[in-house]
Amino acid sequence: MNIGQGSVRLFYMDNLRALAMLTGVFFHAALAYSPMLHSMWPSADQQNHWFFDVFAWGSHLFRMPVFFVMAGFFCALLLHKQGGKAFFKNRLLRIALPLVLFLPLLSIAMGYIIEFGLEQVQNPSPFLAFVKTLMTMPETPTMPLSTMHLWFLYHLLFLYLLTYICHILVGAKFANWFVTLKPKHLLTLLILAIMPALYVVPVPFPAPEWIFPALWALWFYGLFFALGFGYFTKPKLIEQFENQLAYYLLTGLLCYALCYYLLPASLLPDNQPTGLLKLGLTLLESAVSVLLTICAVLYAKRFLNSNHAVMAYISKVSYWVYIVHLPLLFFIGFLLLDQDWHMLIKFVVSCVATIGISLLSFHLLVSWTWLSGILVSKSSG
Amino acid sequence: MQNYAFEMNDVSIRYPHFKMEGLNLSLPQGQVMGLVGVNGAGKSTTIRILMGLVKADSGQVKALGYNLPEHQVQAKYDIGFASDDMRLYKSQTLQWHMDFIKSIYPKFDSAYAADLLKRFDLIADQQIKGISHGQRVKACLLLVLARRPKLLILDEPTTGLDPVAREEVICELADILLDDERSVLFSSHNTHDIEKLSDQIAFLDRGKLLALQDKESYLESWARFRCQINNTSSESVLGAVSIKRNGQIAEIVTAQYSPHYVAQLQQAGFSVLEQHRMSLEEIFVANIKRSR
Amino acid sequence: MTTLFKNTNMIKRLIIKDWELMKKGIAGYMAAGIVTIGIMGMATEITFNVGAILMITLLIVIGARSAVESIVNEKKDQTMPFILSLPISPQHYALAKLLSNLVLYIVPWLILVLGMLAVIISTPIYNGVIPLVVLVSVYILAAYCCYLATALLTYSEGFTIAVMIVTNLLINAFIIGIMRMPEINQTFKAATASWNSTSLTILAAELGFTCVILVLTAYLQQRKTNFL
């Protein structure tokens, strides 16, 4: 019996992963030139432009949800193909081990890079300047424990645990009910279900980097994870949106335009919207997340479902690039702070250099070692 | 040398309101022993001692060559035990139980289990909490029989079953007993079942073994006579278990019947009017009355 | 003892069986545990206190339910004859019960306690509260061992619930009692956790008591001659 999409080759998933990963690098690079995050981002440049904000926050609202949809999808696929025990072993090796292995290394690296920024950068960002002042205080505050950008892996582990819990407590009956819903109703339900999670955090929703599982993130990303899980077992769940995809894309973009317009000029805690404005922004954020995530998956399926050598290569290295890109971006960003170049050039240089060094390090440190067995994803077929 | 499925030598145990003293009971391999007694006679205690669940105060117990309770683990791999107070896990299915038993007993015969499932009209995927008492008993028997035990110990297996379910269970047991290698100890206060299945009968009452004999000779040794009392009738007759007088008629029960017994009665001054073979139930009642 | 090693497979099977029977409940507790740690992780005074109360409740409920469901109910529901008919001695059966319950309890206990300590260490909450948190957590563990022992030795629902009630009532007295001790009270709002002879003595007494209870239970189980 062929359940879900277990026996179909899924090139578009590999390609989508590659694109989403690249978008992640561009997103983090763009934040250095974001007016909204100017006072909070460690490598924030003196130059900034709203264009970077438009791109950064637009991609931010659906990029990680897309990753979680894929994670849910592959979770179902792996469970279907290999069963519970093999799944558990696989996730321990591919998710828990890299987290345990790289979190300390990245923390140390990030410590050194921030120290480098504090000591060497002549034109520090507001964040670096703020840290410098803190350092002069008699009691230096300690940095909170953080999972950094590996929060994705960390929360994924909790979502696997929750999947197991749901499997024991609820079974498949619940998922079957969702499939019976009409597209409009399912969309409304998803958007409304997401709203409480996003309402409790600042706009645009932050990365849940702290050492504790963030309940809002488990709820928010968990819904996308569940959507991906359901998509594997019942492809109709997402494919039913295919007919009116252009309409959903347009609605999503319009919602984002309005959302961007309503966002505060600076994302400092004091500037956070309250009351009805906050509620409206949360509704728009939720709508954008749901609509653009579904569009991303279905457009990828429509236009990117073929084997492309470059995309396959990027997909192959994406896990490694994901792990190392952020400290590299900060380091390069700090170096660029003192350069008198145009921000667009700086942005391109930081992206190219980060990706270039990541790829180089992949071939030098990973591709021929045991690490490749853990970090190189097999084809999704 | 005779091989025994189990041997109990001089076994004694004491509880506040019950005692069993010097019990000697053994079952040759391949035989079926029916253990008969009223409630509280000590049947379950005997079986629990045999399963290593209760340690006797003194005496020796061996099952399938293993000393009990010390080596009960090895012995239990070849002993199948089911009792009327045994329940399965309500929240689980019969299939879950079969898988559980299969993971423990290497000899578990899945094909036979599937066959029994059909014969007993059971549904493997049904939760235990949804099945009737009769089905539960049959499920327990299925789990015990499919592991192909050398010694089968059944404590009141047919208690509480409706006549149809009882008949099914008894027929199945009768089938199983065709296997000469398998020994069975089967306790019941239902003497019909015992009469149908057993090769040997053991009577227990108040912790004492009243009789232990093979079924045929045991049944043949009991008879009931309706006699005319003559003037010369003596007060007692050799071998009589009871003499009930009612006017000129006496009902005499003996446990030492032989073709010469009629002559013996006539010599004692009784004219035999009728002679009856006794059912096990009648013998059971007579025996209990005699012992008390 | 040698038969014990020969029979580890059977003990393992029984532990797996208990896990399978209780996994629905455990799944629920895991979900509640994630929520509790998430609430504590919000790191405000209110959420930390709410999380701590939830955690204590959760630890008590997990313990109470596992002791009743896997031990007392096995006797009450008459599934014990079924298990004891399998190739296991009653002593090893009791050992399997003791082990499965301890494992099934200590794992969530450790996760919740370590989670709580991690919250304290990584937030502005005074680290001086750590000894108190540890002492109360170990008290809950010791209380659990008390009713686990009662359940295993008596298989009586009444006795087990009575011990649960008494130990859980005493938890308040215990917290108030140690809070009133000057050695603990004075270090309560310190920036760092300070263990002094008083808190260490209480901790040692709790741990010692727990060990004695467990060893005594195992010993009395081995001496039992009558099961069912």
Side-chain angles (χ1 to χ4, degrees):
Chain A
M1 198 175 72
N2 178 20
I3 297 172
Q5 311 178 31
S7 55
V8 188
R9 283 195 75 85
L10 303 158
F11 294 119
Y12 74 99
M13 282 286 180
D14 289 335
N15 295 336
L16 189 60
R17 174 171 36 214
L19 277 182
M21 188 279 296
L22 285 178
T23 315
V25 177
F26 299 149
F27 164 72
H28 283 133
L31 292 182
Y33 312 99
S34 145
M36 286 184 189
L37 220 58
H38 181 70
S39 37
M40 293 154 79
W41 190 249
S43 59
D45 201 273
Q46 283 165 325
Q47 308 172 61
N48 54 55
H49 195 275
W50 57 265
F51 169 78
F52 289 102
D53 268 337
V54 172
F55 162 73
W57 303 121
S59 68
H60 173 68
L61 291 181
F62 71 94
R63 184 179 51 86
M64 288 316 291
V66 164
F67 267 122
F68 277 98
V69 168
M70 285 196 285
F73 183 89
F74 286 113
C75 171
L77 183 136
L78 212 59
L79 279 172
H80 170 65
K81 272 192 172 173
Q82 304 183 348
K85 261 190 189 166
F87 172 81
F88 181 71
K89 242 174 100 177
N90 178 297
R91 296 294 89 180
L92 222 54
L93 201 70
R94 302 234 327 134
I95 306 291
L97 185 64
L99 177 66
V100 173
L101 208 63
F102 289 107
L103 187 57
L105 292 176
L106 286 174
S107 302
I108 293 166
M110 201 62 103
Y112 277 116
I113 289 168
I114 297 281
E115 213 174 283
F116 166 82
L118 291 171
E119 284 169 9
Q120 305 294 329
V121 174
Q122 302 302 315
N123 303 299
S125 63
F127 173 85
L128 282 180
F130 175 67
V131 175
K132 260 188 183 168
T133 351
L134 281 183
M135 303 285 276
T136 57
M137 285 162 67
E139 258 188 67
T140 320
T142 48
M143 290 283 280
L145 294 171
S146 165
T147 53
M148 301 168 62
H149 56 302
L150 301 192
W151 67 263
F152 173 63
L153 304 181
Y154 184 62
H155 282 74
L156 213 46
L157 290 176
F158 281 97
L159 287 179
Y160 291 138
L161 190 62
L162 287 169
T163 306
Y164 178 67
I165 290 168
C166 286
H167 165 70
I168 291 177
L169 292 180
V170 188
K173 283 175 254 163
F174 203 49
N176 292 340
W177 178 75
F178 278 106
V179 181
T180 62
L181 288 177
K182 285 183 180 163
K184 266 190 293 184
H185 296 158
L186 182 61
L187 269 186
T188 316
L189 193 72
L190 273 172
I191 292 169
L192 291 178
I194 280 169
M195 278 187 68
L198 294 189
Y199 190 78
V200 297
V201 285
V203 285
F205 54 85
E209 289 173 345
W210 201 32
I211 202 79
F212 287 92
L215 293 181
W216 74 266
L218 287 178
W219 179 244
F220 173 59
Y221 291 118
L223 282 169
F224 286 104
F225 183 89
L227 191 67
F229 196 99
Y231 177 44
F232 173 78
T233 43
K234 307 267 179 198
K236 184 181 165 255
L237 197 67
I238 288 188
E239 283 171 359
Q240 63 183 329
F241 297 107
E242 194 114 42
N243 294 337
Q244 290 185 299
L245 209 51
Y247 164 74
Y248 293 129
L249 178 65
L250 193 66
T251 316
L253 290 175
L254 280 174
C255 286
Y256 176 58
L258 189 58
C259 180
Y260 181 79
Y261 174 74
L262 294 173
L263 277 175
S266 165
L267 298 180
L268 281 170
D270 294 343
N271 296 351
Q272 278 294 314
T274 51
L276 273 180
L277 180 60
K278 165 82 178 172
L279 196 67
L281 266 169
T282 308
L283 175 66
L284 290 169
E285 266 191 306
S286 308
V288 175
S289 293
V290 172
L291 291 168
L292 295 190
T293 300
I294 289 172
C295 286
V297 174
L298 289 178
Y299 275 121
K301 190 168 179 248
R302 195 183 285 179
F303 297 117
L304 299 174
N305 203 9
S306 59
N307 193 4
H308 193 277
V310 176
M311 294 299 261
Y313 170 75
I314 299 174
S315 176
K316 194 175 98 173
V317 299
S318 61
Y319 200 166
W320 175 253
V321 178
Y322 154 72
I323 288 173
V324 296
H325 83 280
L326 202 61
L328 281 174
L329 258 180
F330 280 140
F331 181 65
I332 296 163
F334 289 152
L335 289 177
L336 290 173
L337 283 178
D338 291 336
Q339 306 306 318
D340 199 15
W341 303 342
H342 188 268
M343 62 183 146
L344 205 58
I345 297 173
K346 286 188 181 184
F347 172 72
V348 173
V349 168
S350 61
C351 290
V352 170
T354 301
I355 293 173
I357 297 170
S358 300
L359 295 182
L360 195 67
S361 60
F362 175 80
H363 291 288
L364 286 176
L365 302 171
V366 179
S367 63
W368 54 276
T369 64
W370 57 273
L371 267 174
S372 68
I374 298 170
L375 300 178
V376 175
S377 57
K378 315 250 175 338
S379 174
S380 323
Chain B
M1 203 183 93
Q2 174 100 52
N3 279 333
Y4 289 101
F6 71 78
E7 293 168 86
M8 299 176 88
N9 293 320
D10 211 15
V11 170
S12 301
I13 190 163
R14 260 175 193 278
Y15 290 126
H17 303 290
F18 175 82
K19 66 174 180 185
M20 179 183 276
E21 271 174 5
L23 180 73
N24 289 298
L25 191 66
S26 51
L27 175 67
Q29 234 170 48
Q31 294 267 303
V32 181
M33 179 187 280
L35 193 59
V36 196
V38 293
N39 292 332
K43 301 188 299 280
S44 293
T45 304
T46 308
I47 283 175
R48 282 171 189 185
I49 291 173
L50 263 178
M51 287 303 295
L53 305 178
V54 171
K55 192 172 187 285
D57 297 339
S58 63
Q60 278 186 325
V61 184
K62 263 188 175 184
L64 301 171
Y66 295 105
N67 284 327
L68 295 180
E70 298 83 5
H71 299 119
Q72 59 174 294
V73 172
Q74 292 92 321
K76 279 164 156 184
Y77 272 105
D78 285 315
I79 300 178
F81 170 62
S83 69
D84 75 317
D85 65 354
M86 182 184 281
R87 300 284 183 274
L88 302 174
Y89 292 101
K90 285 185 279 189
S91 59
Q92 303 297 325
T93 62
L94 177 54
Q95 187 61 52
W96 180 88
H97 285 85
M98 288 200 284
D99 294 340
F100 176 57
I101 293 292
K102 198 177 167 183
S103 73
I104 295 165
Y105 293 90
K107 283 193 283 183
F108 189 85
D109 186 340
S110 298
Y112 182 38
D115 182 39
L116 283 174
L117 210 58
K118 266 193 203 152
R119 276 152 78 174
F120 282 158
D121 202 17
L122 293 166
I123 302 163
D125 292 327
Q126 196 175 358
Q127 273 190 334
I128 299 297
K129 65 178 158 204
I131 68 176
S132 67
H133 173 68
Q135 284 174 312
R136 185 174 49 72
V137 170
K138 287 192 269 185
C140 277
L141 278 175
L142 179 152
L143 294 171
V144 166
L145 296 176
R147 66 181 91 149
R148 301 266 187 209
K150 286 182 189 159
L151 170 61
L152 191 59
I153 298 179
L154 304 170
D155 190 5
E156 308 269 4
T158 53
T159 303
L161 292 185
D162 63 63
V164 177
R166 212 177 92 208
E167 192 54 34
E168 280 176 350
V169 168
I170 294 297
C171 282
E172 194 49 47
L173 285 175
D175 249 19
I176 291 150
L177 303 181
L178 296 175
D179 178 355
D180 286 345
E181 291 298 302
R182 189 171 296 165
S183 320
V184 181
L185 174 68
F186 167 40
S187 92
S188 179
H189 49 245
N190 189 319
T191 47
H192 297 293
D193 298 345
I194 301 261
E195 201 170 337
K196 259 187 196 166
L197 297 171
S198 310
D199 302 319
Q200 287 202 38
I201 310 259
F203 264 109
L204 267 182
D205 191 43
R206 296 179 179 176
K208 275 192 204 134
L209 186 65
L210 298 186
L212 173 64
Q213 223 174 328
D214 78 276
K215 181 178 76 183
E216 298 305 327
S217 60
Y218 188 64
L219 286 173
E220 275 170 21
S221 67
W222 286 75
R224 190 176 66 232
F225 298 91
R226 199 159 161 265
C227 305
Q228 173 86 46
I229 301 172
N230 302 323
N231 295 338
T232 53
S233 295
S234 53
E235 282 299 306
S236 62
V237 188
L238 192 68
V241 170
S242 71
I243 303 174
K244 261 194 226 163
R245 292 166 196 268
N246 189 0
Q248 290 301 301
I249 303 293
E251 193 182 81
I252 300 170
V253 171
T254 179
Q256 291 176 13
Y257 175 75
S258 72
H260 310 296
Y261 199 76
V262 177
Q264 223 171 302
L265 284 173
Q266 274 163 350
Q267 271 177 11
F270 294 95
S271 311
V272 176
L273 301 173
E274 285 168 31
Q275 176 182 335
H276 297 278
R277 296 291 298 271
M278 290 171 72
S279 69
L280 191 60
E281 184 159 315
E282 290 170 309
I283 297 172
F284 173 52
V285 175
N287 213 345
I288 298 286
K289 279 187 180 166
R290 175 174 68 164
S291 73
R292 289 185 176 179
Chain C
M1 206 59 189
T2 48
T3 56
L4 172 66
F5 291 114
K6 277 184 200 161
N7 215 12
T8 45
N9 184 44
M10 191 60 209
I11 292 177
K12 209 173 96 188
R13 286 295 325 155
L14 290 188
I15 293 176
I16 295 171
K17 178 221 54 160
D18 274 348
W19 156 254
E20 282 174 3
L21 290 173
M22 302 207 300
K23 68 180 178 188
K24 270 201 171 179
I26 292 170
Y29 300 137
M30 280 199 279
I34 292 174
V35 173
T36 303
I37 290 181
I39 289 175
M40 284 200 290
M42 287 175 187
T44 64
E45 201 177 331
I46 292 176
T47 55
F48 179 78
N49 287 334
V50 169
I53 291 166
L54 271 178
M55 195 204 73
I56 291 176
T57 313
L58 198 60
L59 285 175
I60 290 171
V61 171
I62 293 174
R65 193 164 174 261
S66 79
V68 168
E69 192 173 314
S70 90
I71 301 172
V72 175
N73 282 0
E74 191 127 295
K75 176 94 172 179
K76 209 171 92 181
D77 294 345
Q78 292 175 291
T79 47
M80 216 161 136
F82 171 64
I83 293 298
L84 288 181
S85 74
L86 304 175
I88 185 139
S89 66
Q91 287 80 8
H92 289 175
Y93 162 80
L95 197 67
K97 278 278 167 215
L98 188 67
L99 288 178
S100 64
N101 274 280
L102 271 181
V103 170
L104 292 180
Y105 186 74
I106 285 182
V107 170
W109 181 85
L110 263 180
I111 292 172
L112 290 176
V113 173
L114 291 179
M116 196 155 160
L117 292 179
V119 175
I120 297 168
I121 291 167
S122 58
T123 58
I125 294 165
Y126 304 116
N127 285 4
V129 83
I130 287 175
L132 180 73
V133 168
V134 171
L135 291 179
V136 172
S137 302
V138 178
Y139 173 90
I140 293 172
L141 179 67
Y144 168 73
C145 289
C146 282
Y147 47 78
L148 176 66
T150 314
L152 271 172
L153 292 173
T154 66
Y155 289 100
S156 147
E157 195 172 10
F159 279 129
T160 309
I161 291 175
V163 174
M164 277 176 201
I165 291 171
V166 171
T167 51
N168 292 335
L169 284 177
L170 284 176
I171 194 169
N172 292 320
F174 177 77
I175 293 174
I176 294 166
I178 56 171
M179 290 270 276
R180 280 191 183 160
M181 289 179 183
E183 294 87 342
I184 290 177
N185 195 6
Q186 282 159 13
T187 57
F188 190 62
K189 289 204 167 174
T192 53
S194 66
W195 287 93
N196 50 39
S197 60
T198 312
S199 48
L200 285 173
T201 309
I202 298 173
L203 182 66
E206 284 179 335
L207 291 173
F209 176 75
T210 308
C211 290
V212 167
I213 288 283
L214 292 177
V215 170
L216 202 64
T217 309
Y219 173 73
L220 290 174
Q221 274 293 343
Q222 302 309 305
R223 281 176 56 93
K224 240 176 144 179
T225 57
N226 194 348
F227 294 83
L228 291 185

